[in-house]
Amino acid sequence: MADVPSNVDPATKSFLGKEMYLVVTRPVRSPEIAKRLGDHLAHQIELEKRGIMFAAGPLYPRGSETPEAGMFVLRASSFEEAEARKKAGDLPENYRADLLGPYLENAALEVTRAIQFFYTSTPYTRIDQILLAGGSAQLPGLSDIIAGRTRIATSVVAPFQGMQMGAGVREQQLRNDAPGYLVACGLALRRFG
């Protein structure tokens, strides 16, 4: 952590023991969310009591009653610790069955619908492989459920596979987040083509 500036009141020193990291999340659109809101809020209160989370809440576009994202502020001693906490999620026991399961089912249904639309609106009759990209691509079980529903080989895209990394790049972090960088990677590669 950076040195505390000299103009900070000494009484606040204990407040500055850890850095704060803002995490923005995309809301899960599922009817299960409303049923679990109480559990979710109780879990967030517990994270706050344990000193892991500082604040949380929905982010609304101006004039809208539907949040477009959520945010929470983590207390951590380093970026790596904050990233590990974000990825671990420190989620309630019922998360996988009550929230993640229905979300994965819904995602697989949407992919199946997109494939049906593709078949009916193009002359093509076969898809060889589905590549998942974006922040949710690495959700545990997503590629398996989509492959099972569509009967098409499905995997998570790895846009940096086969590329040499620069010395300043956190390679493991980049590989963990790679599916979210597919478009950026493709745009950058256009310079070389």
Side-chain angles (χ1 to χ4, degrees):
M1 184 170 131
D3 292 332
V4 177
S6 60
N7 64 345
V8 173
D9 187 305
T12 65
K13 185 176 181 184
S14 64
F15 298 134
L16 301 174
K18 291 189 175 183
E19 294 183 25
M20 303 280 187
Y21 295 88
L22 176 68
V23 177
V24 177
T25 61
R26 299 264 191 290
V28 174
R29 303 286 184 215
S30 168
E32 294 297 318
I33 296 302
K35 296 177 190 175
R36 295 293 170 193
L37 184 59
D39 292 339
H40 173 70
L41 296 175
H43 178 67
Q44 286 189 334
I45 290 168
E46 179 61 28
L47 291 176
E48 187 178 2
K49 286 178 181 176
R50 290 173 40 203
I52 292 172
M53 188 178 71
F54 175 74
L59 299 174
Y60 293 89
R62 185 172 296 184
S64 175
E65 293 184 18
T66 303
E68 71 177 11
M71 70 89 188
F72 57 98
V73 180
L74 292 176
R75 289 185 175 111
S77 57
S78 68
F79 175 82
E80 288 75 17
E81 180 186 345
E83 186 71 14
R85 283 186 172 169
K86 179 187 92 170
K87 292 215 184 268
D90 201 9
L91 300 166
E93 293 175 20
N94 62 351
Y95 165 77
R96 199 172 290 283
D98 293 344
L99 296 177
L100 184 60
Y103 177 79
L104 296 178
E105 290 287 343
N106 192 38
L109 179 63
E110 292 300 321
V111 170
T112 302
R113 287 180 180 157
I115 290 170
Q116 290 170 349
F117 179 75
F118 173 78
Y119 285 147
T120 60
S121 62
T122 70
Y124 302 103
T125 59
R126 192 176 98 202
I127 296 174
D128 295 321
Q129 185 176 16
I130 297 171
L131 295 173
L132 302 176
S136 298
Q138 295 187 76
L139 282 173
L142 181 61
S143 60
D144 293 336
I145 197 166
I146 290 174
R149 298 288 184 276
T150 63
R151 300 181 193 263
I152 300 171
T154 304
S155 60
V156 177
V157 72
F160 303 108
Q161 187 172 346
M163 289 186 189
Q164 185 176 358
M165 300 294 144
V169 174
R170 294 181 187 151
E171 188 171 346
Q172 187 58 47
Q173 182 181 345
L174 181 65
R175 299 225 184 268
N176 289 343
D177 298 335
Y181 294 131
L182 177 65
V183 172
C185 180
L187 290 171
L189 288 173
R190 290 177 62 186
R191 293 182 73 188
F192 302 107

